[in-house]
Amino acid sequence: ALAKAELEDLTLLYQAPIEHGEAVEDQLAESNLELQRTQKRLSEELTEATNYVFSILPEPRQAAPRTEWLLVPSTELGGDSFGYHDIDGDHIAFYLLDVCGHGVGAALLSVTAINVLRSSALPNTDFRDPGAVLSALNGAFPMERQNNMYFTIWYGVYHRGSGALRYASAGHPPSILRRRDGSVAALSTPGIAIGMMPDMMYRAAVNQVSAGDRLHLVSDGTFEVETAPGEMLDFQSFVDRLSRSESPSEVLDWVRGLNGPGPLPDDFSLLTIGF
């Protein structure tokens, strides 16, 4: 009898872990299914967000000034964006901005700023004056109200009648103007990134453009790549290659060749304008 009782006890001791293990496996399986459902939902929402970011980008212009562009985020959602629109019958604006960081937060700020520019939604601002536009943006987007995010920007306004290009930048890489005669100019103005300091005043500069000139607006991720371990692409080398390129895709292929396999370390944004 004792042996039988001991056997029953041993059986119970043996079965208990098995039953517990089966329960744990069931819980893990359910948790895994729930995780898969959550990941699928987040992936679908991220795809929708990415599609929206690209949906607000303008169609390439076929009439002069013509445009070509390329935006390749380094992750699903980046902080780069750009646009162009007619201010009136004589003036057209071109702009490219880069929000610090990546992900949903950077994309939201980028889209918001672009929509503000596109809809001219800065009160008491002359959108034909790039300096006034950047000053107003700085007042509208202080980083302490944007989860400590800020952005750089290049904003230019082309006057069709005179060929004058007024521009201002805030912590952004220069835009590259390649003239029809082959000469190259880097267009930028002093000024820190938008949102970093209150009450900043930005000033515009002016340059003349002519038929046959090409203007390239870039983000820093377009050229900040390693050509070898610890060695970054020289900006002048990038400018030289950019000024010889016929399309943004040629520049992307060249930069990717320097960077090697895998995604670029930052968003690649290039807007080319042909006058």
Side-chain angles (χ1 to χ4, degrees):
L2 180 59
K4 182 179 180 181
E6 290 176 346
L7 181 60
E8 290 175 350
D9 290 343
L10 288 173
T11 301
L12 289 173
L13 288 173
Y14 177 72
Q15 287 179 340
I18 293 178
E19 292 174 354
H20 177 70
E22 290 174 346
V24 170
E25 288 180 357
D26 290 342
Q27 291 177 353
L28 288 175
E30 180 60 32
S31 296
N32 188 48
L33 286 173
E34 182 61 30
L35 180 60
Q36 290 178 2
R37 287 192 289 265
T38 300
Q39 288 178 330
K40 183 175 183 294
R41 176 176 57 82
L42 291 176
S43 178
E44 290 173 349
E45 291 179 357
L46 195 58
T47 298
E48 289 180 2
T50 303
N51 291 339
Y52 174 69
V53 169
F54 276 88
S55 75
I56 70 168
L57 298 177
E59 291 291 329
R61 287 177 55 95
Q62 302 303 322
R66 298 174 303 278
T67 62
E68 295 179 84
W69 56 260
L70 200 56
L71 170 58
V72 182
S74 60
T75 58
E76 288 88 349
L77 285 173
D80 285 11
S81 193
F82 57 84
Y84 39 84
H85 67 272
D86 288 310
I87 299 174
D88 55 35
D90 296 322
H91 299 84
I92 179 171
F94 302 94
Y95 38 89
L96 191 150
L97 64 85
D98 178 5
V99 177
C100 65
H102 305 279
V104 175
L108 285 173
L109 178 53
S110 179
V111 166
T112 302
I114 283 293
N115 282 332
V116 164
L117 291 172
R118 188 170 60 176
S119 59
S120 302
L122 292 169
N124 305 314
T125 302
D126 182 357
F127 279 81
R128 298 168 300 180
D129 180 353
V133 171
L134 267 55
S135 297
L137 282 173
N138 190 67
F141 291 96
M143 60 184 295
E144 60 270 18
R145 285 170 32 200
Q146 309 298 329
N147 197 29
N148 289 323
M149 291 187 296
Y150 56 87
F151 61 90
T152 67
I153 185 172
W154 192 97
Y155 180 95
V157 177
Y158 172 65
H159 182 244
R160 291 180 173 90
S162 65
L165 176 68
R166 301 185 70 193
Y167 59 90
S169 57
H172 201 80
S175 289
I176 307 304
L177 176 64
R178 184 187 185 280
R179 300 188 185 280
R180 183 174 52 184
D181 63 9
S183 61
V184 177
L187 308 184
S188 66
T189 61
I192 64 173
I194 299 297
M196 294 191 71
M197 289 185 64
D199 304 322
M200 288 293 298
M201 298 299 294
Y202 297 84
R203 305 296 182 188
V206 183
N207 214 304
Q208 290 295 125
V209 296
S210 304
D213 293 351
R214 289 168 65 87
L215 178 68
H216 306 280
L217 278 58
V218 303
S219 65
D220 56 9
T222 307
F223 57 85
E224 289 185 350
V225 297
E226 285 191 343
T227 57
E231 295 184 13
M232 301 298 292
L233 172 63
D234 176 72
F235 183 68
Q236 187 57 51
S237 298
F238 170 74
V239 170
D240 292 342
R241 182 64 181 85
L242 180 66
S243 64
R244 300 195 307 271
S245 298
E246 293 299 322
S247 69
S249 60
E250 287 185 2
V251 182
L252 175 62
D253 290 343
W254 178 71
V255 171
R256 276 180 166 162
L258 297 174
N259 182 70
L264 295 175
D266 201 354
D267 302 338
F268 179 100
S269 298
L270 173 55
L271 167 61
T272 296
I273 304 152
F275 296 95

